[in-house]
Amino acid sequence: MKLSLPRFDRAPVLVVGDVMLDRYWHGGTSRISPEAPVPVVRVEQIEDRPGGAANVALNIAALGAPASLVGVTGVDEAGQSLSDSLAAAGVQAHFQQIERQPTIVKLRVMSRHQQLLRMDFEEPFETDPAQLLASTETLLSGVKVLVLSDYGKGALKNHQALIQAARAKGIPVLADPKGKNFEVYRGATLITPNLAEFEAVVGPCIDEADLVAKGLALIEQLDMQALLVTRGEHGMTLLRPGCPELHLPARAREVFDVTGAGDTVISTLAASLAAGEPLPQAVALANLAAGIVVGKLGTACISAPELRRAVQREEGSERGVMTLEQLLTVIEDARAQGEKIVFTNGCFDILHAGHVTYLEQARAQGDRLVVAVNDDGSVSRLKGPGRPINSVDRRMAVLAGLGAVDWVVCFPEDTPENLLAQVKPDVLVKGGDYGVDQVVGADLVKAYGGTVKVLGLVENSSTTAIVEKIRSR
């Protein structure tokens, strides 16, 4: 299955559900309390993060997709903290605020990146279902997917009315279910229970065949189009009537904290479907996203560049020959990681030891090396009839095989100035015995604050000399 990152900026999603505030108290601990056998934490930092349905909306926004949120809070400091955090992230929040009921807060006491204690401050909300439905219906016309983020805290009391309102507009409905009554999600496009939630409804699954059979029966029973069961270290399974089951392995390299992983799955799935991805590809992207987020502490989001890098690793496209569009994308991601981009260019018609040494020296000037190669037409104009000896695709393939080279791209002009204007490398490198000001594109690079360097050539190494020697024989 080939993956690519969709246009999330064209994928508006509406989330409706239970919002809460995840609050973290961070501090050091070096002694045991004299009052009881418990560690004493000296609180040094307090951190608030949107949780529950608010975390789903935040994850969608972090991917670059327009996100709207409908939920319920109290009229209190915690509710204001939620509103402020979501607004800062670009989430359009529409809260039903209820007097005399506190916003749900989950407080975690952390020391040395370990959770020592969790305290929950919550009461089930007395939500006004009609007001919640009215807010949802107002927003449905501007979105492509509806997510029901159900934590069983009382915000969602009219699941069926919400599902039917979306279906009437042809909008897919994804639900993250809670409890043992999945009947309330009847008619949803897809639900995403974890294995424990799934087995609590259908009974224990003795093997994968049993899981598949019970899952397909549940899809038929609830008039759904698909079911996604998240299975922890065993990955996830997508089931659809009339289609082979899709089992995806877990992608986590190191599991640090599974808090909020389900939110990441449904948010990435929703944003991908809203962007037009087919369901299997959307599930695969959600699986990659989950593998990233469990390596982070607490309720966390992943960004589009993080997901893009995971896709590139999956597709084996972190290095090698690139189109210009691909090159600009990977450079953007590299810069987001603080990496310095080095650029050099040439014909590289017959690769020799001088080229290899020069490219190794160029790579040492930064973190990533881009090699821009003249296409066949420009080589012929520069070098004369009979050149190039090797076509541009072969020249690029050989360069991509060198350990010093990260990315290879070709350009049709006689000089790389147009390419330089788009790539904007941190360092422009050329080999030769001329001054920096004689390097093509030097003025352009220096104008935006880049560096230009000239490296010496290895003696007795020349493509032209090699060609003449071959011809003379």
Side-chain angles (χ1 to χ4, degrees):
M1 182 190 307
K2 186 170 180 59
L3 296 180
S4 61
L5 205 68
R7 288 292 303 271
F8 287 126
D9 59 329
R10 301 175 181 175
V13 178
L14 172 61
V15 182
V16 181
D18 298 295
V19 300
M20 56 197 74
L21 183 68
D22 286 326
R23 178 161 284 169
Y24 296 83
W25 287 359
H26 298 272
T29 178
S30 59
R31 62 190 179 95
I32 301 298
S33 170
E35 303 165 356
V38 295
V40 175
V41 178
R42 182 182 180 186
V43 178
E44 299 167 342
Q45 179 187 0
I46 297 175
E47 180 184 12
D48 287 352
R49 302 181 188 178
N55 185 45
V56 175
L58 197 64
N59 269 269
I60 292 167
L63 290 172
S68 301
L69 172 65
V70 173
V72 184
T73 70
V75 183
D76 51 21
E77 174 270 336
Q80 189 60 52
S81 179
L82 266 176
S83 296
D84 292 344
S85 296
L86 292 166
V91 176
Q92 301 297 315
H94 305 266
F95 289 152
Q96 181 181 145
Q97 295 181 306
I98 301 179
E99 294 276 3
R100 296 181 299 279
Q101 283 196 267
T103 299
I104 296 172
V105 176
K106 297 186 181 296
L107 172 61
R108 298 170 176 90
V109 180
M110 313 290 297
S111 183
R112 299 179 183 179
H113 303 295
Q114 297 294 322
Q115 186 176 149
L116 302 183
L117 178 67
R118 174 174 139 177
M119 294 177 283
D120 290 0
F121 303 85
E122 64 176 75
E123 297 175 15
F125 277 107
E126 293 300 324
T127 308
D128 181 346
Q131 182 181 337
L132 194 81
L133 176 61
S135 298
T136 301
E137 288 179 325
T138 300
L139 296 168
L140 277 176
S141 59
V143 303
K144 295 183 178 179
V145 171
L146 170 66
V147 174
L148 301 183
S149 182
D150 193 352
Y151 276 79
K153 306 301 182 184
L156 293 175
K157 294 181 179 294
N158 53 347
H159 300 72
Q160 279 301 299
L162 296 167
I163 291 170
Q164 295 308 318
R167 288 187 61 164
K169 293 180 177 293
I171 296 172
V173 181
L174 312 185
D176 187 1
K178 286 294 179 288
K180 296 183 179 181
N181 180 21
F182 281 9
E183 186 66 32
V184 296
Y185 308 108
R186 170 177 293 278
T189 307
L190 176 147
I191 62 174
T192 62
N194 61 38
L195 184 59
E197 293 166 337
F198 177 70
E199 289 186 324
V201 173
V202 303
C205 299
I206 58 175
D207 54 27
E208 286 194 347
D210 193 28
L211 183 150
V212 170
K214 289 177 176 176
L216 291 174
L218 184 65
I219 290 173
E220 182 177 4
Q221 174 189 334
L222 298 181
D223 186 27
M224 298 186 302
Q225 295 180 23
L227 170 70
L228 179 64
V229 182
T230 57
R231 304 169 60 191
E233 69 273 17
H234 299 296
M236 54 183 65
T237 297
L238 174 66
L239 301 175
R240 295 167 293 166
C243 299
E245 62 270 19
L246 177 63
H247 300 291
L248 294 173
R251 293 297 187 188
R253 296 181 176 182
E254 179 180 359
V255 177
F256 195 72
D257 191 341
V258 298
T259 304
D263 295 342
T264 298
V265 169
I266 198 166
S267 59
T268 307
L269 181 61
S272 299
L273 290 174
E277 288 293 295
L279 183 56
Q281 281 79 357
V283 169
L285 288 169
N287 192 40
L288 287 177
I292 298 169
V293 81
V294 296
K296 300 184 177 186
L297 177 64
T299 306
C301 298
I302 70 163
S303 64
E306 286 178 299
L307 184 57
R308 184 183 294 118
R309 282 190 293 276
V311 170
Q312 290 165 357
R313 285 194 299 268
E314 189 78 3
E315 297 298 308
S317 60
E318 285 186 293
R319 301 176 74 251
V321 176
M322 300 267 167
T323 65
L324 176 57
E325 182 179 9
Q326 291 170 333
L327 177 65
L328 295 177
T329 297
V330 295
I331 286 176
E332 177 187 351
D333 290 343
R335 284 206 168 102
Q337 298 299 301
E339 295 178 333
K340 181 185 289 188
I341 308 301
V342 183
F343 180 103
T344 192
N345 64 280
C347 298
F348 300 100
D349 194 3
I350 297 178
L351 202 66
H352 51 68
H355 288 137
V356 174
T357 301
Y358 164 71
L359 292 172
E360 289 173 346
Q361 293 173 349
R363 178 64 164 75
Q365 308 303 312
D367 302 299
R368 297 282 193 166
L369 176 60
V370 178
V371 179
V373 183
N374 293 79
D375 74 357
D376 293 345
S378 62
V379 173
S380 182
R381 290 191 298 272
L382 294 169
K383 301 294 184 179
R387 300 285 298 274
I389 303 297
N390 291 298
S391 62
V392 67
D393 56 334
R394 293 187 176 184
R395 289 182 279 132
M396 293 173 72
V398 173
L399 285 163
L402 298 179
V405 177
D406 290 288
W407 305 305
V408 185
V409 66
C410 75
F411 61 96
E413 301 89 358
D414 291 352
T415 73
E417 287 187 281
N418 289 335
L419 186 57
L420 282 168
Q422 297 182 75
V423 172
K424 291 185 171 61
D426 301 291
V427 184
L428 170 61
V429 174
K430 283 294 289 182
D433 55 2
Y434 38 75
V436 167
D437 293 337
Q438 295 174 294
V439 175
V440 173
D443 291 343
L444 186 155
V445 172
K446 288 191 289 185
Y448 61 73
T451 303
V452 181
K453 295 187 178 181
V454 176
L455 305 179
L457 296 176
V458 176
E459 294 185 2
N460 301 318
S461 295
S462 164
T463 300
T464 301
I466 292 172
V467 171
E468 290 304 321
K469 186 174 182 179
I470 294 171
R471 284 174 174 168
S472 68
R473 291 185 175 181

